[in-house]
Amino acid sequence: MQMRLAEGTAGARILAFGGYQPARVVTNDELARTVDTTDEWIRHRIGVASRRIAGPDETVADMAAAAGGKALAASGLSAADIDLVIVSTSTPETMMPCTAATVATRLGMSGPGAFDLNAGCSGFCYALAAASDAVRAGTSRHVLVVGAEKPSQWIDWTDRSTCTIFGDGAGAAVVGPVTDADPAPGIGPVVWGSDGSMADKIAIKDRRSFFCQDGQAVYHWATTVLHPVGKKACEAAGIDPGELAAFVPHQANLRIIESIAKKIDVPRARVATEIVYSGNTSSASIPLALVAMIGRGEVNSGAAVLLLAFGAGICYAGQVITAP
Amino acid sequence: MSMTEQEIVAAVGEIVEEICGIPADQVTPEKKFLEDLEIDSLGMVEIAVAAQDNLGVAIPDEQLRNLETVQAVVDFVRNAAVSA
């Protein structure tokens, strides 16, 4: 028996990004009224000046649909063109059903494949890799990828070591095949990995627990292990780090971001610092940072951008993309 | 690579200056990181990472907590260099 296989395509690219952040801005001074901290300490240690926090009735699915709708509109495609939806989240309201199917229906799609993916804060890069591979293998033509998170519902708001870090939001990308008109492949090979021996370093241990992390261990790990991953992702894509127009690491902590950027050595790249006004939005942080940078004209169409994500698991992933 | 005691003190001073902005000449062996230099636990992790990058000496987090003075870090670096 000879099985027929899907007909693939040479490359996948990002057609458009879209982002959504809740309206409510929470400043450091507001937090300092309820926990023992200061604006100066939070800016210096974490790099956050303010963050957006979702309302009590605003769900991960709501934010994912809002961001996904914007990316879809910007891509020029119609809802019916999307045949797969992947939502990366580690803070969903429900363990089942998945968020992705709800998002697809809310956006008026015609029953695409849909699943959620949990790789902690690195989920967007994992979802982007899965989408790229699905398009290249020919199992999907257009994929909506969303990183959507509401960490605020898993945080102990009396714990100054964690409530100062996070923000809510969602970022999305539409992935499709490379056409003859496109100058570059668009999404480079992913370099990914994990270390389950550090599973307890970043965790929400059960459904009744708050988020907890060993900040020192995570800092130490992130600033010693990740820069070779970023370099490998560049190498896999055949791009010299010196050619990068932008470096968009997961927005975990400004000091971690600066340390990794220095070690990869990206002299010409603009380094994302969206954490300052959004906090750590977990797997939404990379697409949200890209939306902001593209909106400000800092990343031009066709520019090479290195994405590098890391978080609970511990899981990490990085790839070079071409900006839409 | 073999460094003298003074070279290690100077190297630790440079790291502290780079990370915390405290002039290297104030980073003398008897100083306590927390009480005298006001460097907290996260600052210590940053110093440990820099020590690994600059001096090739890995200081595990659990041992870092016991290194309260500049001299203790200098001793750790010297002993690690000897045993390497």
Side-chain angles (χ1 to χ4, degrees), chain A residues 41 44-45 214-220 223-224 227 253 255 259 262-263, chain B residues 18-19 39-43 45-46 48-49 52-53 59-61 64-65:
Chain A
W41 190 93
H44 182 67
R45 278 299 181 207
D214 180 342
Q216 291 180 37
V218 172
Y219 181 93
H220 202 149
T223 54
T224 49
H227 58 281
N253 174 305
R255 292 184 163 215
S259 169
K262 193 173 160 194
K263 289 181 180 180
Chain B
E18 186 191 331
I19 290 168
I39 297 171
D40 65 11
S41 58
L42 189 56
V45 175
E46 290 182 73
V49 171
Q52 192 168 340
D53 293 340
I59 308 175
D61 287 342
L64 190 61
R65 292 181 182 118

Side-chain angles (χ1 to χ4, degrees), chain A residues 32-304:
Chain A
R33 287 199 286 272
T34 52
V35 291
D36 182 18
T37 189
T38 63
D39 175 55
E40 197 269 338
W41 190 93
I42 299 170
R43 284 175 191 258
H44 182 67
R45 278 299 181 207
I46 304 167
V48 181
S50 61
R51 71 286 288 147
R52 303 292 192 96
I53 299 296
D57 299 326
E58 193 167 31
T59 66
V60 171
D62 292 338
M63 293 189 284
K70 285 188 190 176
L72 186 61
S75 74
L77 297 175
S78 72
D81 294 325
I82 302 293
D83 51 18
L84 178 63
V85 176
I86 309 173
V87 173
S88 157
T89 183
S90 48
T91 52
E93 281 78 21
T94 55
M95 296 298 129
M96 64 173 85
C98 71
T99 305
T102 300
V103 169
T105 296
R106 290 232 202 129
L107 292 176
M109 294 175 187
S110 337
F115 67 95
D116 287 5
L117 175 156
N118 179 351
C121 294
S122 60
F124 184 80
C125 288
Y126 275 78
L128 192 61
S132 172
D133 289 351
V135 169
R136 291 188 63 210
T139 48
S140 292
R141 184 153 178 87
H142 294 112
V143 186
L144 177 66
V145 177
V146 189
E149 305 279 3
K150 192 179 176 184
S152 65
Q153 63 191 344
W154 296 97
I155 280 169
D156 177 356
W157 286 92
T158 65
D159 173 12
R160 64 177 178 176
S161 72
T162 54
C163 77
T164 47
I165 300 173
F166 292 95
D168 300 330
V174 175
V175 175
V178 170
T179 63
D180 293 339
D182 294 321
I187 301 174
V190 69
V191 173
W192 49 19
S194 66
D195 181 357
S197 74
M198 294 182 72
D200 64 339
K201 302 300 183 193
I202 311 171
I204 298 169
K205 290 188 171 145
D206 57 49
R207 292 177 200 197
R208 289 166 300 281
S209 293
F210 291 122
F211 170 89
C212 65
Q213 75 170 354
D214 180 342
Q216 291 180 37
V218 172
Y219 181 93
H220 202 149
W221 176 85
T223 54
T224 49
V225 171
L226 283 170
H227 58 281
V229 177
K231 286 181 180 172
K232 271 187 204 162
C234 290
E235 202 181 313
I239 303 275
D240 186 280
E243 298 173 54
L244 293 169
F247 173 44
V248 184
H250 165 50
Q251 303 289 293
N253 174 305
L254 200 55
R255 292 184 163 215
I256 292 177
I257 292 167
E258 286 168 352
S259 169
I260 296 173
K262 193 173 160 194
K263 289 181 180 180
I264 295 178
D265 192 14
V266 285
R268 293 173 56 201
R270 188 171 287 267
V271 178
T273 56
E274 188 61 23
I275 185 172
V276 178
Y277 298 110
S278 298
N280 174 346
T281 53
S282 187
S283 76
S285 83
I286 286 178
L288 276 175
L290 276 162
V291 167
M293 293 168 88
I294 291 169
R296 289 193 296 263
E298 294 169 5
V299 178
N300 297 325
S301 180

